[in-house]
Amino acid sequence: MNYLLINFILSRVVAIEGLFLLLPAITGLLYGETTDAFVYFTVGIICIIAGILSGMVKPKSNTFYAKEAFVAVSLSWLVMSLIGALPLCITRAIPHYLDALFEIVSGFTTTGSSILTNVEALSHANLIWRSFSHWIGGMGVLVFILAVLPMSGGSTMNLMKAESPGPSVGKLVPRMQQTAFLLYAIYFVLTVIEVILLLLGGMPLFDSLCHSFGTTGTGGFGIKNDSLASYSTYSQNVITIFMFLSGINFTFFYYLLIRKVKDALALEEIRWYFGFYIGAVLLITLNLVANGGKPGQSLQQVAFQVASVITSTGYATTDYNQWPEFSRYMMLFAMFIGACAGSTGGGVKVARIVLYLKQIKKELLQQIHPRRICVIKLDKKGVEHETIRSCNVFIMTWIAVFLLSIMLISFDNFDSTTNLTAVLATLNNIGPGLNMVGPSGNFSEFSYFSKLVLIFDMLAGRLELIPILILFHPATWKKKA
């Protein structure tokens, strides 16, 4: 284990988080919140100094192997969360540190689950920090480091694979640093375009920034108690579009950028993603209309809510907890599937779902025609056995963590739907669930033990289980594993 290299990465994470903390400090000054601004400024400066000092000892080798990458990414997210919770606790926005940790982990992992009962009571500094944490975590802080700091060539792929969601990560351009820079450039442009469109619709600048951070980061922290219900239909529709776009594999945008429109449209995962989304919207809308809903209003609300849960954003314009049972179960189905691999969205990922369906089809064909050679293909290319194996390991691990988490939080004696959807919402980084944790509820009633379980689920879900679980394996910390 290259501890010096891991320490070097952690030092950079701490220093960069210190720079990020200056945004809420500046926001606090602009709105006359001098106490909160001072807290954020102080914590930020301490982080910058600590990061610089701890990174002064340079590692002899900058080469990352898979084990170091997993450990560095997991520890980076833990350290980032532990520090990020401090201002929320010190400013007394969230007095108990564990509650503050739950809130900021929910922010960084783009989950959007909250323990707050009155969001509007927070200062502008705290509100912008909550929302900005989505934007930081959406693409990943390690990807940001790769974009701005040169590191050892091919080994950086291991670092990016450990943090980026999805069954596989590849280079868009020959150099890994260029790929990371390009991803963040697309991410930044999407955010800026959304801010401009929301401003054109009459939304204030502060609100536009917060909601754009939460949309492109697929996070979902609102700055009003009713989330987005009180905003105009225009603003809701803009956010619907950008939630949906943020759930698309960023390779799609890259192909559009280099004018390979046919290659972009040929991506099989994108077609499935469109199909899942449109199918869910139509079925739920028909179900609502059949139960007395107005067609136009129902379609607009359903389009928003399905985009919100399938991309794991978590914003709400209506309480879908009150929808008919079929619609509620369709929402659970969308929560489980999630967004595309290589996007900022959560969930199991469309690419994995497609591969699971193709594996079932292959098995059925081979039972009917035992001598037939079947090859699983995605985008007309054969899928490597290693990718299939990792997908299968992921789903088995996901089920194990899901069931164990439900058992652990059941000590709080809440109803089964609350427990099941609370774990689903945190493990898939969605935000709201059903019943007590529905769009009009929150996670404040859970015990601190259950909140720790759900904090673990949020981190494990964002890092796709394996990187965080590796920390608990004894072989990880041996010199020769």
Side-chain angles (χ1 to χ4, degrees):
M1 181 72 73
N2 191 339
Y3 290 106
L4 282 178
L5 182 55
I6 292 172
N7 175 72
F8 180 76
I9 289 296
L10 291 178
S11 69
R12 291 297 180 263
V13 169
V14 171
I16 288 174
E17 184 172 12
L19 290 173
F20 288 152
L21 283 163
L22 298 182
L23 175 63
I26 294 169
T27 303
L29 288 176
L30 291 175
Y31 284 92
E33 300 160 353
T34 52
T35 302
D36 287 2
F38 177 75
V39 169
Y40 277 98
F41 180 78
T42 303
V43 175
I45 293 300
I46 291 173
C47 285
I48 293 170
I49 295 172
I52 292 172
L53 292 177
S54 61
M56 290 180 72
V57 181
K58 298 292 191 297
K60 294 180 180 179
S61 171
N62 281 344
T63 301
F64 263 106
Y65 296 103
K67 183 171 70 171
E68 278 88 355
F70 285 137
V71 171
V73 166
S74 298
L75 291 181
S76 293
W77 279 75
L78 286 170
V79 170
M80 188 169 64
S81 299
L82 291 170
I83 293 171
L86 289 173
L88 294 174
C89 187
I90 296 170
T91 59
R92 309 302 291 172
I94 305 176
H96 197 286
Y97 180 76
L98 192 58
D99 282 333
L101 182 63
F102 181 98
E103 196 77 9
I104 203 63
V105 168
S106 181
F108 283 135
T109 59
T110 73
T111 303
S113 300
S114 180
I115 52 86
L116 294 170
T117 56
N118 183 15
V119 175
E120 294 177 29
L122 296 183
S123 65
H124 290 84
N126 285 316
L127 286 174
I128 198 81
W129 178 234
R130 286 172 78 245
S131 297
F132 190 47
S133 66
H134 286 327
W135 199 84
I136 296 168
M139 187 60 66
V141 70
L142 273 300
V143 176
F144 180 82
I145 288 175
L146 289 178
V148 298
L149 296 177
M151 293 190 68
S152 177
S155 64
T156 56
M157 176 62 80
N158 286 322
L159 196 65
M160 195 166 182
K161 281 183 176 180
E163 186 177 45
S164 299
S168 63
V169 173
K171 296 180 181 179
L172 299 180
V173 289
R175 292 184 60 194
M176 201 68 242
Q177 186 181 14
Q178 291 176 337
T179 296
F181 181 82
L182 187 58
L183 288 173
Y184 253 99
I186 295 171
Y187 190 43
F188 179 78
V189 169
L190 281 175
T191 307
V192 170
I193 293 173
E194 185 181 358
V195 170
I196 293 171
L197 290 176
L198 290 175
L199 287 172
L200 291 174
M203 185 180 286
L205 177 60
F206 179 82
D207 298 38
S208 299
L209 286 171
C210 287
H211 291 124
S212 296
F213 290 151
T215 303
T216 52
T218 62
F221 273 153
I223 60 174
K224 294 185 181 295
N225 292 330
D226 64 358
S227 190
L228 284 163
S230 59
Y231 289 95
S232 67
T233 302
Y234 167 84
S235 296
Q236 293 174 7
N237 289 338
V238 169
I239 289 173
T240 299
I241 293 169
F242 278 86
M243 284 192 296
F244 182 79
L245 291 176
S246 298
I248 293 177
N249 191 319
F250 273 50
T251 303
F252 176 83
F253 299 116
Y254 172 70
Y255 281 144
L256 293 181
L257 189 65
I258 61 174
R259 299 180 182 179
K260 291 187 176 181
V261 179
K262 288 185 179 180
D263 290 340
L265 297 177
L267 292 171
E268 193 173 350
E269 183 187 22
I270 306 300
R271 300 200 301 272
W272 279 88
Y273 175 64
F274 273 80
F276 284 139
Y277 176 74
I278 293 170
V281 169
L282 290 177
L283 288 172
I284 296 174
T285 300
L286 290 172
N287 186 231
L288 293 183
V289 171
N291 284 271
K294 297 178 181 178
Q297 183 183 35
S298 296
L299 179 61
Q300 188 266 330
Q301 291 182 345
V302 171
F304 183 97
Q305 294 305 153
V306 173
S308 181
V309 299
I310 201 170
T311 61
S312 76
T313 305
Y315 283 135
T317 56
T318 186
D319 187 1
Y320 56 77
N321 206 26
Q322 305 301 318
W323 286 357
E325 282 299 302
F326 174 79
S327 296
R328 281 158 48 98
Y329 281 112
M330 282 299 298
M331 292 293 279
L332 287 177
F333 178 66
M335 290 179 188
F336 176 77
I337 292 174
C340 296
S343 72
T344 59
V348 172
K349 299 293 184 301
V350 173
R352 287 196 182 96
I353 299 296
V354 173
L355 289 177
Y356 296 142
L357 293 174
K358 291 192 174 192
Q359 285 184 74
I360 294 172
K361 180 183 177 181
K362 176 185 174 182
E363 187 63 27
L364 290 174
L365 284 173
Q366 288 190 323
Q367 291 299 323
I368 297 169
H369 305 289
R371 295 183 179 181
R372 180 171 179 172
I373 298 175
C374 299
V375 178
I376 295 175
K377 292 184 177 181
L378 194 65
D379 298 328
K380 298 180 181 180
K381 299 177 182 177
V383 180
E384 294 180 3
H385 173 73
E386 181 66 21
T387 301
I388 299 294
R389 185 194 64 80
S390 66
C391 285
N392 292 336
V393 169
F394 174 86
I395 196 64
M396 294 305 297
T397 309
W398 188 95
I399 291 170
V401 173
F402 179 72
L403 294 176
L404 179 60
S405 298
I406 291 174
M407 290 177 62
L408 291 174
I409 70 170
S410 66
F411 287 112
D412 287 349
N413 289 321
F414 297 139
D415 65 274
S416 299
T417 301
T418 295
N419 290 336
L420 186 147
T421 58
V423 173
L424 181 62
T426 50
L427 189 57
N428 274 12
N429 305 133
I430 295 159
L434 296 174
N435 287 7
M436 283 178 58
V437 293
S440 60
N442 56 63
F443 288 70
S444 61
E445 295 299 316
F446 282 97
S447 66
Y448 286 121
F449 172 75
S450 292
K451 286 173 184 172
L452 280 172
V453 173
L454 297 174
I455 286 171
F456 171 84
D457 286 345
M458 287 188 283
L459 288 168
R462 173 57 182 83
L463 298 180
E464 305 233 306
L465 303 175
I466 301 302
I468 202 77
L469 291 177
I470 277 180
L471 294 181
F472 298 93
H473 200 293
T476 301
W477 307 104
K478 292 180 180 178
K479 290 185 178 180
K480 293 183 180 181

